[in-house]
Amino acid sequence: MNGNSGVDHDACGMSVAIDVVGGKWKLHLMWVLGAGPQRFGEIRRLLQGVSEKVLAENLRQMEASGVVHREVFPEIPPRVEYSLTPIGHELAVALRPLEEWGDKHRVELLGNLASVG
């Protein structure tokens, strides 16, 4: 990515990646699904504060981008599980350094945020 204003947004890898994981809940969803397949209710319990509507919307967007797989099992009642696709797992690996950076600087960053608010 360079600083030229004429760069095509879709040609920039960082822009594409941010489109996939941008927003309040998508990075959290990557973390939850990185632990293995989860049902909708399990995800909602793990992500306290997310509404059912927002969670469903984020899962649909991530499925459309190809990082999440939705599997419906032919049972009564139907069981639906969400999991990371191969490129979703690759993205989770790429995000690990960001998590490590956050862990390393957690105290400082939270202190800075507290002084701003």
Side-chain angles (χ1 to χ4, degrees):
M1 181 169 105
N2 64 38
N4 294 342
S5 60
V7 172
D8 179 13
H9 174 82
D10 292 335
C12 174
M14 181 63 79
S15 294
V16 174
I18 288 171
D19 286 347
V20 171
V21 295
K24 182 174 181 178
W25 296 106
K26 289 180 182 172
L27 289 173
H28 296 296
L29 279 166
M30 292 294 302
W31 177 76
V32 166
L33 295 175
Q38 301 284 338
R39 294 176 72 173
F40 188 90
E42 294 168 332
I43 297 169
R44 186 141 186 251
R45 276 190 294 283
L46 291 168
L47 296 181
Q48 295 177 1
V50 67
S51 72
E52 201 168 301
K53 178 184 175 187
V54 169
L55 178 56
E57 181 179 306
N58 277 266
L59 285 166
R60 272 194 301 275
Q61 290 170 355
M62 294 174 78
E63 183 182 5
S65 70
V67 297
V68 167
H69 172 70
R70 179 179 185 268
E71 185 167 359
V72 180
F73 293 88
E75 301 172 355
I76 297 176
R79 177 171 53 107
V80 178
E81 287 186 348
Y82 296 89
S83 59
L84 294 179
T85 64
I87 67 168
H89 281 289
E90 193 175 333
L91 177 58
V93 170
L95 291 171
R96 233 171 254 131
L98 181 61
E99 178 185 10
E100 291 167 1
W101 179 86
D103 286 341
K104 179 179 179 181
H105 300 287
R106 177 190 318 266
V107 172
E108 178 184 357
L109 293 168
L110 292 175
N112 291 342
L113 291 172
S115 67
V116 172

